[in-house]
Amino acid sequence: MSKLNIGIILGSTRQGRVSPQVGEWVKGIADKRGDANYEIVDIADYKLPLLGEADATEQATAWNAKLATLDGFVFIVQEYNHSITGALKNALDYARDAWNNKAAGIVSYGSVGGARAAEHLRGILGELSVADVRVHPALSLFTDFENGSVFKPNDLHLTNVNGMLDQVLAWSGALKTLRQ
């Protein structure tokens, strides 16, 4: 059986964001495992306008084509006002079938580890027929980031990241059988 393809989705598009640092950290851990093909998928690269406000046929087609190549996801989620970013919600809404019957893990960060954003994302993922996994690395802006901008994770998060990846791969493999 070929390796699964797992996309590490960066959930923010703003200037000065730290999600690329967190995403690269997760990818570094994942790549050392050698058990799947992991890639960073930056929603900022797709330049999706707000859904319904402009013709986005080209962007939406590219976004859906990328998602269709992936068997599962790890969302890098930052908490904004107790929820996910508008950019992530918009990107989620631009696809439907490309999300269905796949698994996802969540790595969140914020003042309380991004827990509220992760919970909001779980509700959205359920509506999109994405099976979100239980293990959830939650990073604190106070202990895992220097000055709120330089990512310096505590070693204790390695166990959770690997546990989350184990679950994402197990569920992604099982759900792939539904899509074949």
Side-chain angles (χ1 to χ4, degrees), residues 5-112:
N5 297 312
I6 306 297
I8 300 169
I9 310 288
L10 302 184
S12 176
T13 59
R14 74 169 177 81
Q15 292 288 10
R17 63 197 170 136
V18 295
S19 60
Q21 294 176 59
V22 178
E24 288 295 337
W25 173 70
V26 170
K27 186 175 185 315
I29 294 167
D31 285 344
K32 287 179 186 169
R33 296 164 53 100
D35 53 4
N37 301 313
Y38 297 94
E39 69 176 291
I40 301 282
V41 180
D42 190 346
I43 60 176
D45 293 341
Y46 293 86
K47 309 254 186 282
L48 296 164
L50 287 177
L51 186 64
E53 287 196 355
D55 179 17
T57 303
E58 184 178 330
Q59 297 97 318
T61 299
W63 176 238
N64 278 269
K66 169 45 72 184
L67 296 175
T69 68
L70 301 170
D71 299 303
F73 313 98
V74 173
F75 287 91
I76 308 301
V77 180
Q78 39 294 115
E79 187 169 310
Y80 284 68
N81 297 320
H82 292 212
S83 192
I84 63 173
T85 66
L88 178 56
K89 178 63 169 86
N90 192 54
L92 289 163
D93 290 345
Y94 260 103
R96 182 73 189 174
D97 294 338
W99 297 117
N100 294 171
N101 295 318
K102 296 180 182 179
I106 299 169
V107 177
S108 65
Y109 60 91
S111 60
V112 290

Side-chain angles (χ1 to χ4, degrees), residues 77-79 106-119 136-145 157:
V77 180
Q78 39 294 115
E79 187 169 310
I106 299 169
V107 177
S108 65
Y109 60 91
S111 60
V112 290
R116 298 168 294 207
E119 288 306 309
H136 165 209
L139 309 165
S140 170
L141 285 176
F142 303 114
T143 59
D144 296 305
F145 293 84
H157 297 300

